[in-house]
Amino acid sequence: MSGKMKAVSTGSSNLKKISAVALSVLTICTVSACKSNKAAITEYSKPSFPSENSSAADNKTDSSVISDNSVQADENIPGSIFSVEEQERTNEKENKSESSSGRSEYARRDEIIINENTGTPIVSRAANEIKNRRNEILNSGNTEENYKITGKKIYVSENGNDENDGLSPETAVKNIFAAELLSPKQGDAILFERGSEFRISEPINAIPGVVYGSYGKGEKPAIYASPKNYAIKTFWTPTKKKNVWVANYGYDDPGCIVFNWGEDAGIRKANGLEQLVSNGQFYHNKLDSLLYLYCDKGNPGEVYSDIEICANIAIFYIDVGFTDITIDNLALKYSAAGAVWGWYYPRGLTVTNCEMAWIGGNASSGQIRAGNAVQIWDGATDCKIDNNWIYQVFDTAISWQGDNGHNYKNISFSGNLIEYCAVGIEIWDHNKQNKDCKVENFVCNDNIISGIGYGWGNRKNDAGLRGIEGIISGSASNLGHFEMTMKNNIFDCSYSKFIHFKNSGFDGIKRKAVITGNTYYQKYTDYSPSLTDFEFQGQTVRITSQEIFENAVRQFDSSPKKIEFLS
């Protein structure tokens, strides 16, 4: 999504000054095992674009529907809802399981990645390649096998203790911010134990020269921007409006609610409680920090084993001028803002072997909702975003973008598996200052990009739809030089735009880019707001047959490996 970021919470430099009390803001807990009650929320039709008014929300509280049982925020920790101690007592009271077996059980099921509740599943001709790539990424070796760590290693485990020195797996600390107090510097690493689950309520301000990665055995260590599992009976209070429950939610602009690790995803409403009429619909009143959810099965905390409310918090934030940061082998999920933000000309940013999902949906900048998984802003040098599995992103999976005409040099977006996002790879810089902007050695090879526009961000009646911009989307102005290699990718079905280079900045791209050997699958869709499937070098084509598809692709790819229209 272009340029809608600045209002999103991104943290500040005072993270280094965090006190012992503030350490408890980040709760570390485990996901409960799945309950037997797995009632479906509702069924959604295929993606469409209704004329629902998604302007600024009505922030006036309707006191007539609030239950007499009031909901109060915890006053000891600003912005929190429960203290860590209260969370632990509540979990014990509710007999929640102390293992992440639910997450393990669900994470590998195709119906949790996509189902009729969370989008529109497609039958892919690249199913075998997708399965193999997914397994390769999920089973990648630990960070020490992938990167040379020259400095000290700080270990973090959900079973650790913040009084430990953190210098061995046996003396791991429990909290990421406790690890930061151990003063990691260039060449050091912060390693998270596999199978652990960490929850944040503010961004992780990545430290220059530090490697963030994994150790141990099991599932990739998970870092969630949902501050807790909200499947807690006492968190939800019935209102006087039938089947509507209310909770005090002290975080900004929840982008989505994900139930049972992806069995279902909530439908956001922008204009008040009167819109809540079906299961899964929710409304957030920003002025009163109240979150309303429609659930006719009973208390949501009892109906579901896992409820993740995606806070508007970037998980990793790379500040201006920070360099040589590596993020490897982590599962980054449930953020309305983004998984990794590289802010203003990042240099040496590497993101590899990560799983990123359920990202985006914030509307902090107004009516348009946004949220990319990995975003590089206003120029970049020596950045590598490779071999990641990214799915169910409201906006774009991977993007470099900006407004000010900076240079983009030595950037790789390669070997990634991208599924069910609104956009696969997006590149744009509108160069408002009319600088001599150059793109040099941008490599986009060996990706599999599938099911674009078929995920949760493009469902019917979800307020403030992102819209669909394509498997590859580019928009630029006044580019003085554009040097790109795009080889051996599989581009597998988009609900609307397929290839979308949409204005004069990419005129003449064929003379400056090597695009060859890619595989193209597309099927007929009934997308109506635009009849553009293929937009490149001034041509706009609606794909309705094999012949039309072939002719369009060959204008883009000098020697395509395969072109197939799935009628």
Side-chain angles (χ1 to χ4, degrees), residues 316-337:
F316 277 96
Y317 177 67
I318 291 82
D319 211 341
V320 179
F322 283 19
T323 63
D324 301 322
I325 292 164
T326 297
I327 300 167
D328 177 66
N329 259 303
L330 302 176
L332 309 175
K333 297 184 180 181
Y334 309 123
S335 166

Side-chain angles (χ1 to χ4, degrees), residues 143-284:
T143 301
E144 285 188 83
E145 301 174 36
N146 303 323
Y147 296 95
K148 184 177 181 180
I149 299 169
T150 59
K152 69 182 177 183
K153 302 163 192 170
I154 300 172
Y155 295 88
V156 188
S157 168
E158 66 179 17
N159 299 311
N161 187 317
D162 288 340
E163 296 182 0
N164 289 341
D165 63 16
L167 298 181
S168 72
E170 294 74 25
T171 59
V173 295
K174 189 178 180 71
N175 192 310
I176 174 59
F177 297 128
E180 290 186 349
L181 289 178
L182 298 176
S183 301
K185 59 183 183 301
Q186 182 90 26
D188 292 348
I190 297 176
L191 302 177
F192 300 87
E193 185 178 24
R194 285 179 177 267
S196 289
E197 189 173 286
F198 307 89
R199 295 176 178 273
I200 62 171
S201 57
E202 55 185 302
I204 299 169
N205 274 16
I207 300 168
V210 170
V211 175
Y212 296 82
S214 68
Y215 77 95
K217 298 180 180 180
E219 302 284 336
K220 292 182 189 294
I223 304 178
Y224 295 163
S226 173
K228 66 161 70 69
N229 174 1
Y230 293 92
I232 304 167
K233 179 180 178 180
T234 53
F235 180 72
W236 300 96
T237 302
T239 70
K240 296 178 181 179
K241 181 176 172 65
K242 186 178 180 180
N243 299 328
V244 174
W245 300 78
V246 65
N248 189 303
Y249 185 77
Y251 300 92
D252 177 55
D253 194 20
C256 187
I257 302 177
V258 182
F259 303 97
N260 285 354
W261 303 279
E263 274 192 346
D264 211 332
I267 293 287
R268 177 177 174 141
K269 296 296 179 181
N271 296 316
L273 297 179
E274 69 279 358
Q275 290 187 296
L276 304 186
V277 296
S278 298
N279 283 328
Q281 294 179 346
F282 70 94
Y283 165 67
H284 183 232

Side-chain angles (χ1 to χ4, degrees), residues 404-408 431 433-440 477-481:
N404 297 309
H406 289 290
N407 295 328
Y408 301 85
N431 197 1
Q433 298 184 22
N434 199 26
K435 297 178 180 178
D436 183 19
C437 177
K438 294 182 179 180
V439 177
E440 299 178 86
S477 300
N478 305 314
L479 284 180
H481 179 80

